[in-house]
Amino acid sequence: MNILDLADLLLSPDEKKELQTSMELLEKSNYSAFYESNQNIIQSILFLETLEEFLDFSKENSFDKECYCAAFLCTHGYGIQVGGYEDDLTPALTEFFHVQRMEYPEISEIICKEKIFTDCSDYDNFKKSVTAMNRVLDAYGVRLVVLEDFVYCDCEYTVLCMDEALADKVLSSWSSDNFEIYL
């Protein structure tokens, strides 16, 4: 299973159609139309601000479909993306759990206990914090799965929330060229 397979399991029929339409634009090298319908996602992945910049990028590079798919999932509320060097994830995690309607006191306590940060090393506390959150979420039958991506940025994480059975399936069958299971 890779991120494209996972998206097929998570997305609604309308979302799948939207994703498929965008993927077809990429396959047909219709970069202008792809950019117009995915401007925010492209900006969040590549930090390109204009169509011209994206067209220049596309002349010599292919836009990674798995990275796009991960960002698409996050844009549609299935997760959040976190940079490898984040100073304080408290606001992002608080908002994510609010949007997911999972504002459990135990989760809030973990998030607010100390500043949660990443620095792509053994010294961050992100993994420890997500592990603690998963212990709480297990009681509710859900789990956070964290994927690590090195394609465009050093160490970007995609944090996806899914039911426990699907999370177990993902963890046992994961095979991706671009994303490693971080947690």
Side-chain angles (χ1 to χ4, degrees):
M1 175 179 302
N2 62 27
I3 197 78
L4 300 168
D5 301 325
L6 179 58
D8 193 51
L9 297 172
L10 290 173
L11 296 173
S12 71
D14 287 343
E15 292 166 334
K16 286 179 193 178
K17 187 175 182 178
E18 182 183 346
L19 178 63
Q20 181 180 8
T21 299
S22 288
M23 293 290 202
E24 287 171 1
L25 291 173
L26 266 181
E27 289 169 9
K28 294 176 182 174
S29 300
N30 190 343
Y31 300 122
S32 295
F34 179 79
Y35 181 85
E36 290 305 317
S37 62
N38 295 285
Q39 186 174 353
N40 290 337
I41 291 175
I42 292 167
Q43 288 174 351
S44 73
I45 295 172
L46 299 174
F47 306 104
L48 301 176
E49 297 294 324
T50 66
L51 171 61
E52 292 74 28
E53 289 176 323
F54 183 65
L55 292 175
D56 283 345
F57 168 85
S58 300
K59 286 178 188 173
E60 297 183 24
N61 303 285
S62 61
F63 191 60
D64 188 80
K65 291 178 184 177
E66 278 194 286
C67 290
Y68 168 72
C69 189
F72 184 91
L73 286 170
C74 293
T75 300
H76 286 78
Y78 296 93
I80 59 171
Q81 291 188 306
V82 175
Y85 298 96
E86 296 285 337
D87 288 331
D88 186 4
L89 293 170
T90 303
L93 291 170
T94 301
E95 175 65 17
F96 174 68
F97 282 106
H98 173 73
V99 169
Q100 296 290 322
R101 295 190 172 127
M102 297 187 330
E103 297 173 283
Y104 308 124
E106 306 96 320
I107 295 292
S108 295
E109 185 178 310
I110 293 166
I111 293 172
C112 296
K113 181 179 178 181
E114 61 183 337
K115 238 199 281 192
I116 299 172
F117 64 96
T118 62
D119 70 3
C120 291
S121 74
D122 294 333
Y123 301 108
D124 69 20
N125 66 350
F126 179 61
K127 192 175 207 174
K128 177 185 85 165
S129 299
V130 173
T131 299
M133 288 179 222
N134 272 338
R135 281 194 292 273
V136 171
L137 293 173
D138 280 345
Y140 298 97
V142 294
R143 187 170 300 145
L144 300 176
V145 173
V146 182
L147 306 174
E148 188 172 10
D149 159 28
F150 294 98
V151 176
Y152 295 116
C153 297
D154 281 345
C155 206
E156 177 157 299
Y157 303 104
T158 300
V159 182
L160 299 170
C161 185
M162 58 192 78
D163 71 61
E164 199 170 352
L166 180 57
D168 288 341
K169 182 177 179 179
V170 168
L171 294 172
S172 68
S173 64
W174 192 255
S175 175
S176 170
D177 293 333
N178 301 323
F179 287 87
E180 294 180 19
I181 298 286
Y182 178 73
L183 185 69

